Amino acid sequence: DTLIDLMTRLSVTGNYLASRGYTPRALALMQQAIDASAQKRQIATTHYLWSRLGNAYANYLGDLDKAL
């Protein structure tokens, strides 16, 4: 629950990661938070985290294949 909350605050409700950048570790933590929220059936949270992760790959890393 803590990881889900933290990554949601850093990337969805706040724009900390968008303004500071996405490190490989941050991307890995986002994926872990996505997996955890999906397992808990937190559909809206999972959706928003997936969206931000896709945006990170597309807009900041230029990796459109991973963005999809």
Side-chain angles (χ1 to χ4, degrees), residues 44-65:
T45 301
T46 305
H47 164 76
Y48 286 116
L49 287 170
W50 269 123
S51 176
R52 292 297 194 251
L53 184 60
N55 289 345
Y57 279 115
N59 299 332
Y60 299 100
L61 302 174
D63 191 338
L64 298 180
D65 290 332

Side-chain angles (χ1 to χ4, degrees), residues 30-41:
M30 283 188 71
Q31 184 63 59
Q32 290 176 16
I34 290 167
D35 295 341
S37 65
Q39 187 175 30
K40 292 179 172 282
R41 298 207 179 282

